[in-house]
Amino acid sequence: MNAVFKRPDALTDRETHFCPGCTHGTAHRIIAEVIDEMGIVDDIIGIPGVGCCVFLYHYFPIDVLEAPHGRAPACATGMKRAQPDKIVFVYQGDGDLAAIGTSEVIHAANRGENISIFFINNSVYGMTGGQMAPTTLLGQQTTTTPYGREFRTEGYPIKMAEMLATLEGVAYSARVSLHSPKHVNQAKRAVRKAFEMQVNQMGFSMVEMLSTCNTNWRVSPREALKVVENEMIPYFPLGVFKERTGKDFL
Amino acid sequence: MSERKLTKGNIALAEGALQAGCRYYFGYPITPQNDIPEYLSRELPKRSGVFIPAESEIASINMVMGAAASGKRAMTSSSGPGISLMQEALSYMAGSDIPCVVVNIMRSGPGLGGIAPTQGDYMQAVHGGGHGDYRNIVLAPASVQEMFDLTIRAFELADKYRNPAMVIADAMMGQIQEPCRLSPERPVVVPEKPWALTGRRGRKPQLLKSLYLGPGEQEEHNLLMKRKYDTIQQNEVMFETKDLDDAEIMIIAFGTPARIAKTAIGEARKQGIRAGLLRPITLFPFPGDEVARFSGKIKNILVVEMNTGQMLMDVKIAAHRDAAVSFLGRPGGGIPYPDEIVREIKKALKGVTAA
């Protein structure tokens, strides 16, 4: 009998610590499937940020470096420069990448570091209990914006995929969503594209994934998918904001 | 005997790093250490090395972490304000058993301070800096030759114990020029690093981390680290002595003040005062046993530092209970003069000043 569906080899046989309904698991799975399909599992090194993503090493049976909060793109820079023949990817949440680590991600992108970053945007700090992140939507209630995010005092949700796409060093910048099977398939194609950019030495690649945090949003898993569709996507449009096609970019 | 060449301290240090096999340097400009990145930005590309002018000291040290986690000898250098920014990653690297070398060519502080020589970062390097229960290996050169030799030693110790090692030198050491042998005292050996993250090909996946959430896990990890620090304390203490055999007073100083103390000791001896010197070369591990042993015989100690009394505390902890400890400190860019030290020696012997 042929197996038609199985756990990717690049995922361990282990229950995750993610809350039921959270799409971190989906993101892990599509990254693992692409690692399998590209046959790169033996030559890949993962660097998670700090937050719900930190336990990457429990779920991917690969070499993993735990970076300080926000600094993963700098750690990945050092690692990739030291081992240009290896695949180095970073997995960060929105507090990690879009708040404390903005400097590191912008400059890694601007130098065109040949690394791939998967950026989980669920509009809150998940692990610490749902505080406001730079990606929190206007009006969204969090534990630190109990009256809703107000642009006059907290500013606007930050659009990282668009911002990074303005930098010359960036080979690929896209925003995808994980809220429906169709979107998960699109997301997987973006993950594959990001890794291919790295394999082909095209430069920096980043995939922003709109993700659910139903626990901290205080909604059911099913409602959370609707929040992504009806509230996040209108502000954070999906799409490819930059895609390099040639190697002659320098 | 190899040839000696007139060399600036910072250049000797950078050349030492190269000869130690360091091919990865990441840094951010700050005075008074800019000769180091400038030299390495010229020399590393010739050796297929990597030089990245990073966007901040935070980025620099995390790039070091990435390269070091790959099993490579990597370093960064900076001065006070930049070293402060690196403390986060130093703590992570200590917690994750990742070796690296960090150079601090000390400028005066606190805050932006000044660019004149100082030893104000002793506490930060030896006793603190980042969060958590960890130690840096800390080496303190007192000559251009030691800027070269101790940088190589720093890489060796960092790798041997899988721990961050710091070379701390005041701006005087960075800027001074002296004849220097620019070849290693013994052949440089880079050990195998089977723990490095190089992809799992042919082996099980590996992990470098400092997060321990399970019950008792963090304590166990801390106690393991403590055993490592005890081993370092036992095996790696380096110090120099001068004229201690018949001394009635022992000066304890590291770096530039130790050099000036040597002049002062000569002057004191001309005047019939038997002064001697104990110069710690490793600040962690601190030669506390030696301080205790010598101060059992030599009851007068004068600590001379270019700060308001930082190593002084370690001396006081280690000194024999009958020893009288005096202190001469010149902070904020002040440099002690030999005659000033001789004056303090005389005062100390009269029991006028007590630290």
Side-chain angles (χ1 to χ4, degrees), chain B residues 236-259:
Chain B
E236 307 299 348
V237 171
M238 292 168 71
F239 62 95
E240 180 200 355
T241 60
K242 177 183 162 61
D243 295 339
L244 282 182
D245 288 344
D246 64 342
E248 55 189 316
I249 184 162
M250 170 167 66
I251 297 175
I252 304 181
F254 69 98
T256 292
R259 298 166 62 108

Side-chain angles (χ1 to χ4, degrees), chain A residues 5-19:
Chain A
F5 190 79
K6 67 179 185 75
R7 179 173 47 79
D9 291 336
L11 277 187
T12 55
D13 187 7
R14 177 172 179 148
E15 269 185 41
T16 73
H17 72 292
F18 299 124
C19 305

Side-chain angles (χ1 to χ4, degrees), chain A residues 151-167:
Chain A
F151 72 86
R152 285 182 190 84
T153 44
E154 283 94 44
Y156 294 89
I158 193 165
K159 296 180 176 178
M160 290 307 297
E162 288 89 334
M163 211 166 106
L164 292 178
T166 65
L167 301 174

Side-chain angles (χ1 to χ4, degrees), chain A residues 42-43 63 83 86 111, chain B residues 197-198 200-201 203 206:
Chain A
D42 286 330
D43 299 304
D63 279 10
Q83 309 181 78
K86 300 289 157 63
R111 285 189 304 269
Chain B
L197 305 180
T198 56
R200 69 171 204 189
R201 186 170 289 281
R203 60 161 168 77
Q206 294 183 161

Side-chain angles (χ1 to χ4, degrees), chain A:
Chain A
M1 235 173 35
N2 288 335
V4 291
F5 190 79
K6 67 179 185 75
R7 179 173 47 79
D9 291 336
L11 277 187
T12 55
D13 187 7
R14 177 172 179 148
E15 269 185 41
T16 73
H17 72 292
F18 299 124
C19 305
C22 167
T23 44
H24 261 299
T26 314
H28 274 40
R29 183 177 173 102
I30 57 176
I31 292 168
E33 285 179 358
V34 172
I35 292 173
D36 276 9
E37 288 164 17
M38 294 178 71
I40 52 178
V41 71
D42 286 330
D43 299 304
I44 199 164
I45 303 152
I47 308 183
V50 172
C52 291
C53 59
V54 74
F55 294 112
L56 189 89
Y57 50 82
H58 284 324
Y59 312 129
F60 286 83
I62 60 170
D63 279 10
V64 173
L65 171 67
E66 190 186 272
H69 195 28
R71 319 298 178 215
C75 293
T77 296
M79 182 166 274
K80 183 73 180 184
R81 296 288 190 110
Q83 309 181 78
D85 55 330
K86 300 289 157 63
I87 306 296
V88 177
F89 79 97
V90 170
Y91 187 103
Q92 294 177 278
D94 37 17
D96 207 277
L97 181 138
I100 196 167
T102 29
S103 172
E104 285 76 16
V105 76
I106 285 172
H107 288 280
N110 193 50
R111 285 189 304 269
E113 296 297 340
N114 194 29
I115 58 176
S116 306
I117 296 189
F118 304 113
F119 165 41
I120 302 296
N121 174 358
N122 60 12
S123 80
V124 285
Y125 285 81
M127 188 172 256
T128 46
Q131 294 82 6
M132 192 203 93
T135 46
T136 296
L137 296 170
L138 289 181
Q140 184 180 343
Q141 288 183 324
T142 70
T143 58
T144 50
T145 52
Y147 309 109
R149 182 177 186 167
E150 162 61 55
F151 72 86
R152 285 182 190 84
T153 44
E154 283 94 44
Y156 294 89
I158 193 165
K159 296 180 176 178
M160 290 307 297
E162 288 89 334
M163 211 166 106
L164 292 178
T166 65
L167 301 174
E168 293 299 332
V170 173
Y172 185 71
S173 179
R175 184 182 292 112
V176 297
S177 175
L178 301 172
H179 74 284
S180 81
K182 182 183 95 177
H183 288 92
V184 170
N185 284 334
Q186 286 169 357
K188 185 178 164 182
R189 283 197 287 279
V191 169
R192 173 141 193 148
K193 184 64 86 175
F195 275 132
E196 283 172 353
M197 288 288 176
Q198 187 176 164
V199 169
N200 296 327
Q201 298 175 39
M202 300 284 274
F204 182 93
S205 52
M206 199 278 282
V207 180
E208 175 174 341
M209 302 182 184
L210 300 184
S211 194
T212 58
C213 188
N214 43 283
T215 299
N216 287 308
W217 294 352
R218 312 281 197 265
V219 297
S220 71
R222 185 187 289 269
E223 285 164 2
L225 299 174
K226 288 188 188 134
V227 169
V228 173
E229 170 116 37
N230 300 328
E231 295 174 38
M232 287 185 84
I233 291 178
Y235 185 85
F236 292 112
L238 306 183
V240 177
F241 301 102
K242 178 143 187 210
E243 182 171 351
R244 243 196 244 298
T245 49
K247 269 197 178 185
D248 54 339
F249 49 84
L250 295 175

